[in-house]
Amino acid sequence: MGPSTSVKCYNGYYVNGFKFHTQSYGRFKKTTNSGVCVKGSCYDDNERDYYEMLKEVVRLKYLGSKCKLFLFKYNWYDTKREIRVHRLNGLVEIKYTSRLHGNEDFVLAQQCQQVYYTYPLDNKSSEWWTVIKQLLEVVIILTWVNLLKMKTM
């Protein structure tokens, strides 16, 4: 059997150690959890990471089974023409006013990594945002250290 014709939408979803919120849900929150990066399949001149803000979290349920599939919906920033990568430090900047045209609006939630966007230090009115990738490894290491401390007490 295939997927059900009805879907359920959520304001957020926890996946890959990251807590994601939709852009509209997180608009008035103190922290931003809607920035997303999906890695390109290989790295050459034609493949790169894709960036966006999370628009929707959609759950598909398959008929006749307990299988559920979570998808994230986006309108991607144009990383084919409107991206800058600084050679010295590898810092990535995207032009947030430029959109990638196409019909690939959904990705599997498991493919996503959390990122944050900030203005360049020298120009807050810029239409370019600097991409800051969230480091999950730091959270895992700190949790492991805290677990070890608890066992020795």
Side-chain angles (χ1 to χ4, degrees):
M1 291 191 174
S4 170
T5 56
S6 65
V7 298
K8 187 166 183 174
C9 295
Y10 295 89
N11 290 324
Y13 187 61
Y14 185 83
V15 65
N16 298 335
F18 301 112
K19 179 171 48 169
F20 291 95
H21 287 149
T22 60
Q23 188 177 12
S24 60
Y25 179 79
R27 181 177 18 204
F28 300 111
K29 301 244 182 239
K30 290 182 179 181
T31 58
T32 303
N33 293 333
S34 57
V36 175
C37 171
V38 174
K39 290 199 152 300
S41 59
C42 61
Y43 285 93
D44 59 20
D45 290 340
N46 297 320
E47 292 289 334
R48 55 186 48 134
D49 295 344
Y50 295 90
Y51 301 97
E52 185 44 273
M53 301 288 267
L54 180 58
K55 303 292 184 213
E56 288 182 71
V57 177
V58 178
R59 184 195 73 190
L60 290 175
K61 191 173 180 183
Y62 281 80
L63 298 171
S65 76
K66 294 182 180 182
C67 182
K68 298 174 188 171
L69 186 65
F70 285 87
L71 302 172
F72 286 175
K73 182 178 182 182
Y74 304 97
N75 185 5
W76 301 103
Y77 297 124
D78 186 353
T79 55
K80 290 186 179 182
R81 292 180 302 246
E82 303 295 345
I83 190 167
R84 299 189 295 211
V85 180
H86 297 274
R87 291 179 192 228
L88 188 61
N89 56 18
L91 201 61
V92 175
E93 291 181 344
I94 53 141
K95 189 174 184 181
Y96 71 89
T97 57
S98 183
R99 299 295 175 172
L100 188 62
H101 299 289
N103 59 357
E104 297 180 19
D105 296 341
F106 290 94
V107 296
L108 293 171
Q110 288 79 6
Q111 294 176 289
C112 298
Q113 176 184 357
Q114 195 162 59
V115 297
Y116 298 97
Y117 302 105
T118 183
Y119 293 105
L121 294 174
D122 57 343
N123 189 358
K124 287 191 176 185
S125 65
S126 173
E127 55 186 17
W128 290 87
W129 282 349
T130 302
V131 178
I132 309 296
K133 291 188 178 180
Q134 176 68 8
L135 298 177
L136 181 62
E137 295 83 15
V138 172
V139 175
I140 292 171
I141 290 168
L142 290 175
T143 303
W144 183 252
V145 169
N146 287 337
L147 287 172
L148 289 175
K149 285 181 183 177
M150 289 173 50
K151 285 185 178 183
T152 58
M153 292 183 165

